[in-house]
Amino acid sequence: MKEGVFASPIYWFDITAQEKAAIDRLYAFGATGFPFTKTALLLDSHSEGVYDAAIAMYKSACAYCKWEDQGIVTISGMAERDSMASSPKLEEVRELARKLA
């Protein structure tokens, strides 16, 4: 595996505790090397303008771990179940997936 994707809804201006716990577990790879070198970030929320903290953390992790960022997609307006199916940003997500494949 050469690619890793971090994905989370945004609650209170940051990623979920579950996503943070998964990222914290990557600490063990610091000495032996990570199983991926390319990464991407997918964030969704109900509101616009709530992504800064999560993006800053991701960019810092990429720089520190020498991961090659392949893209960041933020999608607001995700208030209802299956909102993604009608999102105009769905094609952007698909394009990022093709880039990582």
Side-chain angles (χ1 to χ4, degrees), residues 36-100:
F36 50 84
T37 57
K38 297 179 180 183
T39 60
L41 180 64
L42 302 175
L43 301 171
D44 67 52
S45 69
H46 176 70
S47 303
E48 294 183 27
V50 296
Y51 305 105
D52 292 347
I55 291 171
M57 182 276 304
Y58 169 74
K59 287 182 175 182
S60 294
C62 285
Y64 184 79
C65 297
K66 297 178 178 46
W67 296 331
E68 184 182 332
D69 172 37
Q70 298 297 297
I72 298 171
V73 179
T74 61
I75 306 167
S76 59
M78 299 290 106
E80 303 295 327
R81 184 182 190 134
D82 297 324
S83 295
M84 180 59 76
S86 61
S87 173
K89 288 219 168 181
L90 182 56
E91 187 53 39
E92 191 175 340
V93 173
R94 288 182 175 140
E95 182 59 35
L96 184 57
R98 286 188 286 273
K99 184 177 182 181
L100 290 168

